[in-house]
Amino acid sequence: MRGITILNLLTTLLMFSTTTSSNSLLRFFDEPSGENYVTLHPDFSLARNEFSVCTWLRRKLNTNLVGMSWFSYTAPKSRAGGILLNTANFHVMVASGVAYRLKFNTRTMHGEWYHLCYTWKSGYAEFYINGVLVPLTGLHPIGQVAVGGSIVLGQGLGSFDEQTDVMEKFVGDIYQLNVFKKTLTLQDVTEMYYNGRCVELCRALAYEVVLSWTDVLKKGEVKGAVTQEDGECDTVWDVISGAAERIVGHVKMRRLIK
């Protein structure tokens, strides 16, 4: 384990020295409000049968008992295939007109960075926190994702948005969010986690992206108190300290799952 983590740190430093991410900005949702969100209109035609959504996320309010929706996708006038991802205890996915509620018991702490990945192909879904597979309960979604829809970052969208408490809207930082046209493997996810926030995706994974963080920053329609801030990736020290935090975060998550 120690050899792997040291090798990982050296690899990360090398990647930082040559391919530091130019997208060193994040989205920051200033206050709990239904008016604060970012919308996008991606082409998901290549991700109808399988996809993955991965991001770095840091909650800023201690609302652990309340789910904060950070990603949703629905098609206009349709519940044929949509997605709602939440920070506390559940995800909802609609495939071919049937709603599937997937529950998990692991919670994130406010003020800490977490790497989250939700992967799906018809009949099977997985969820990872800090490179650790988190058990999901409930029927796994079968069907397809509808095309021609919209993404909302920071809260639910349309018929998904059944929340009434303003504190259930996301408050915090979202960074390096990418949507992939494939079901990522455990190796893909753990490599992404250990590489850290400050390093660009490897070429093989970048090829699978259908919505990139650059797309979010450049094409996202910002509503309300949403700002771009420094991504905390300016120096080698940011990378070194981040690598240490990731090792601790992975170990802590494995203990929670057990």
Side-chain angles (χ1 to χ4, degrees):
M1 177 68 178
R2 180 178 298 176
I4 294 175
T5 55
I6 292 175
L7 177 60
N8 216 258
L9 174 58
L10 293 174
T11 303
T12 301
L13 288 174
L14 178 61
M15 294 177 70
F16 177 82
S17 65
T18 56
T19 59
T20 304
S21 174
S22 59
N23 300 324
S24 56
L25 296 170
L26 52 80
R27 295 288 182 177
F28 180 77
F29 302 86
D30 285 332
E31 57 189 20
S33 170
E35 304 300 320
N36 303 338
Y37 56 92
V38 177
T39 60
L40 297 115
H41 309 285
D43 179 7
F44 275 3
S45 58
L46 296 178
R48 296 197 67 186
N49 298 309
E50 61 178 308
F51 69 89
S52 301
V53 182
C54 297
T55 190
W56 288 89
L57 181 146
R58 177 169 60 184
R59 297 190 297 112
K60 287 295 184 71
L61 289 182
N62 188 12
T63 54
N64 205 34
L65 297 179
V66 180
M68 299 172 70
S69 298
W70 55 273
F71 178 99
S72 64
Y73 171 83
T74 56
K77 300 180 181 179
S78 170
R79 287 181 60 87
I83 312 148
L84 175 66
L85 303 181
N86 192 283
T87 61
N89 302 325
F90 74 92
H91 299 320
V92 176
M93 182 171 172
V94 176
S96 300
V98 179
Y100 298 84
R101 187 181 180 95
L102 298 171
K103 298 181 180 180
F104 60 96
N105 294 321
T106 305
R107 295 176 178 176
T108 58
M109 303 295 292
H110 71 287
E112 295 185 13
W113 280 109
Y114 289 88
H115 185 250
L116 309 181
C117 271
Y118 175 79
T119 72
W120 171 84
K121 63 180 177 181
S122 184
Y124 194 69
E126 290 184 327
F127 181 54
Y128 300 86
I129 301 179
N130 290 354
V132 179
L133 181 62
V134 176
L136 294 172
T137 60
L139 295 176
H140 289 227
I142 298 174
Q144 289 184 320
V145 173
V147 296
S150 298
I151 285 175
V152 168
L153 303 181
Q155 59 182 279
L157 174 66
S159 55
F160 271 140
D161 196 11
E162 300 170 352
Q163 305 168 87
T164 57
D165 190 343
V166 69
M167 298 300 286
E168 295 176 350
K169 311 302 181 182
F170 181 76
V171 179
D173 302 330
I174 296 176
Y175 189 53
Q176 293 291 7
L177 184 148
N178 294 280
V179 181
F180 304 85
K181 61 184 179 183
K182 62 170 285 188
T183 304
L184 298 183
T185 65
L186 174 61
Q187 180 178 346
D188 293 331
V189 175
T190 53
E191 179 179 341
M192 199 185 313
Y193 171 67
Y194 273 111
N195 284 345
R197 294 182 298 108
C198 300
V199 175
E200 293 178 349
L201 293 172
C202 68
R203 184 173 299 179
L205 284 184
Y207 175 77
E208 303 291 344
V209 170
V210 291
L211 178 73
S212 71
W213 182 239
T214 300
D215 294 332
V216 174
L217 295 176
K218 293 184 176 181
K219 300 179 182 180
E221 301 171 16
V222 176
K223 305 294 183 181
V226 181
T227 60
Q228 292 189 16
E229 305 290 343
D230 178 73
E232 303 168 6
C233 291
D234 295 329
T235 67
V236 173
W237 172 248
D238 292 327
V239 179
I240 295 174
S241 60
E245 290 175 358
R246 290 192 297 277
I247 294 170
V248 173
H250 183 83
V251 173
K252 288 170 63 177
M253 191 56 58
R254 287 181 64 89
R255 289 175 178 174
L256 284 175
I257 298 302
K258 290 179 180 180

